[in-house]
Amino acid sequence: ELKVEQNPLFLSMQEGKNYTIYCNYSTTSDRLYWYRQDPGKSLESLFVLLSNGAVKQEGRLMASLDTKARLSTLHITAAVHDLSATYFCAGFFGNEKLTFGTGTRLTIIP
Amino acid sequence: ETGVTQSPTHLIKTRGQQVTLRCSSQSGHNTVSWYQQALGQGPQFIFQYYREEENGRGNFPPRFSGLQFPNYSSELNVNALELDDSALYLCASSRMDSYGYTFGSGTRLTVV
């Protein structure tokens, strides 16, 4: 059974601090996605990682992929309140669907 | 370039009823996928349509069905609604030959 696990599930962090969200998946994935979701809203695409060692950065967010370890990370640098949201990773396992993790609810505290 | 539009935004139905949700794909996209997101959970894949045919299905019963039209818009139909069908239903459009998915704003379905 395909599994995508994220940790932590909940994260409260102070503004200005750094932290990392981890995404482990149980089988080979062609690609790995990161999405942001605000309460009651849809999914906003953040990153698509296509190969081992891929690293992408946008503002205070940086995502990386290690296909050998079946691990992706989303690193937050110098957090600001606007980054408060739920973050999902999703794997594409070649069967025409995205398999999502359970999400990490991030709260940035002033 | 238009995004993905879903309608209605909110819906309340009674157990046992039927519902139809609609999705208009982003311009240039030929594939539509539907996902169910229960409160506090990640989205779960329902099915995907490509060239007006189902092209993959998740672990959902047959009372969940869909259509894709020649203009690539899509419908999700759910028969015999159950309380557990209450969720946010998300539509995502994409191109079969690319990696990106564009999600719509979703339809919040409440079954009472």
Side-chain angles (χ1 to χ4, degrees):
Chain A
E1 180 185 344
L2 299 174
K3 287 187 178 180
V4 179
E5 296 182 341
Q6 289 181 237
N7 70 84
L9 298 182
F10 299 93
L11 176 58
S12 291
M13 51 189 297
Q14 287 185 316
E15 281 189 328
K17 299 292 186 181
N18 304 332
Y19 209 82
T20 300
I21 298 171
Y22 297 88
C23 174
N24 292 91
Y25 51 96
S26 62
T27 190
T28 302
S29 177
D30 291 347
R31 46 197 187 254
L32 200 290
Y33 296 77
W34 283 95
Y35 290 92
R36 168 183 172 145
Q37 187 176 42
D38 292 299
K41 303 296 184 181
S42 188
L43 296 169
E44 174 189 351
S45 179
L46 297 175
F47 302 107
V48 182
L49 303 167
L50 300 176
S51 60
N52 186 44
V55 177
K56 289 195 174 181
Q57 183 165 6
E58 181 73 33
R60 300 175 188 275
L61 301 178
M62 183 174 71
S64 66
L65 179 63
D66 182 344
T67 58
K68 294 180 181 179
R70 296 178 184 169
L71 171 69
S72 181
T73 61
L74 180 67
H75 186 74
I76 302 151
T77 302
V80 295
H81 179 71
D82 287 351
L83 292 178
S84 295
T86 298
Y87 292 85
F88 290 97
C89 65
F92 184 87
F93 301 101
N95 53 358
E96 309 307 328
K97 68 176 186 179
L98 294 176
T99 299
F100 284 83
T102 49
T104 296
R105 186 177 296 179
L106 174 64
T107 303
I108 309 297
I109 303 167
Chain B
E1 175 177 278
T2 58
V4 177
T5 304
Q6 290 188 243
S7 62
T9 55
H10 296 84
L11 200 54
I12 300 175
K13 288 286 190 178
T14 302
R15 190 172 50 181
Q17 285 188 314
Q18 178 266 342
V19 69
T20 297
L21 311 182
R22 295 179 175 82
C23 171
S24 296
S25 297
Q26 180 168 314
S27 176
H29 286 186
N30 55 15
T31 303
V32 175
S33 305
W34 286 90
Y35 290 80
Q36 179 196 67
Q37 186 179 19
L39 197 62
Q41 302 293 319
Q44 298 290 317
F45 176 74
I46 303 175
F47 43 56
Q48 181 186 83
Y49 277 81
Y50 173 62
R51 291 184 174 177
E52 303 176 49
E53 293 198 359
E54 191 178 286
N55 184 43
R57 189 178 183 92
N59 294 325
F60 282 81
R63 59 189 185 85
F64 286 78
S65 63
L67 287 172
Q68 186 184 31
F69 300 100
N71 65 355
Y72 305 122
S73 66
S74 177
E75 287 182 354
L76 164 65
N77 299 289
V78 187
N79 294 321
L81 284 166
E82 300 177 359
L83 297 178
D84 285 349
D85 296 333
S86 295
L88 179 67
Y89 288 84
L90 296 166
C91 162
S93 75
S94 60
R95 285 188 58 85
M96 186 56 75
D97 57 350
S98 73
Y99 305 119
Y101 292 83
T102 302
F103 282 83
S105 54
T107 294
R108 173 72 63 187
L109 172 66
T110 303
V111 182
V112 298

